[in-house]
Amino acid sequence: MENPQEKFMKRAIRLSIENIEKGGGPFGAVIVKNGEIIAESANSVAIDNDPTAHAEINAIRIAAKKLQTFDLSGCEIYSSCEPCPMCLGAIYWAKIDKLYYGNTKSDADKIGFSDNFIYEEFEKNITQRNLKTEQILKNEAIEAFKKWEKYEDKIEY
């Protein structure tokens, strides 16, 4: 008998395979809560012309909308591939309890989906990164943080 983790991973993998014919990237993700799939998606970057439309991000958006919360504690995510830095960050922000993945980032690199340049950029001093970065209007920008700090009805996340 197939264990639940394998069943959910097989669904993520099937999504990744089926998505190729639809014009999307070979990535799929499934979010599970209490043993039930609550969200699933594939990569739709090229389909939607959205560089953030990775399978994990799409699935997180669907799950959050369905559960009507930004806190996905109690959920697990099954990704057909080890998540990129953006998706991994989103998984942490969503407070998902556990990540299962199939392919590794090295496997993805071998077929042209490399995240290495991002990891390398993170290691550099901000002034040495390829993305030219400049801080401006700090005194004006800090006003929002001051207001947030004093705001009594804020929703912490």
Side-chain angles (χ1 to χ4, degrees):
M1 176 136 192
E2 182 176 61
N3 73 40
Q5 289 81 20
E6 288 179 359
K7 178 179 102 172
F8 299 132
M9 181 56 75
K10 284 181 180 179
R11 179 63 188 149
I13 293 166
R14 188 167 44 251
L15 289 167
S16 72
I17 294 167
E18 292 170 355
N19 199 48
I20 296 167
E21 294 294 323
K22 295 176 184 174
F27 304 98
V30 172
I31 297 179
V32 173
K33 185 168 187 170
N34 299 324
E36 297 290 325
I37 293 175
I38 58 164
E40 63 181 29
S41 189
N43 175 295
S44 62
V45 170
I47 296 165
D48 295 337
N49 292 314
D50 178 352
T52 68
H54 290 199
E56 299 91 341
I57 301 289
N58 289 343
I60 288 169
R61 288 174 179 157
I62 293 166
K65 197 170 274 192
K66 183 173 184 176
L67 297 176
Q68 298 184 336
T69 181
F70 54 80
D71 184 343
L72 299 182
S73 297
C75 294
E76 301 173 334
I77 189 166
Y78 295 79
S79 178
S80 65
C81 185
E82 185 177 2
C84 75
M86 175 183 68
C87 292
L88 188 58
I91 290 166
Y92 275 103
W93 279 113
K95 299 180 181 159
I96 292 173
D97 291 353
K98 188 160 186 180
L99 161 67
Y100 296 89
Y101 67 91
N103 294 315
T104 66
K105 60 185 176 183
S106 296
D107 296 326
D109 185 49
K110 289 174 187 168
I111 62 162
F113 292 94
S114 180
D115 300 326
N116 291 336
F117 74 99
I118 297 172
Y119 291 110
E120 290 167 3
E121 284 287 294
F122 286 166
E123 295 296 319
K124 295 177 184 175
N125 181 291
I126 198 167
T127 60
Q128 302 303 311
R129 294 181 183 164
N130 289 323
L131 176 64
K132 301 304 175 210
T133 306
E134 179 180 347
Q135 182 181 24
I136 61 172
L137 297 178
K138 178 169 175 45
N139 292 334
E140 288 85 345
I142 201 71
E143 291 303 315
F145 285 8
K146 289 178 182 177
K147 184 174 182 173
W148 174 259
E149 205 171 29
K150 295 175 188 170
Y151 189 60
E152 292 183 16
D153 294 330
K154 63 185 161 207
I155 298 172
E156 301 276 351
Y157 58 93

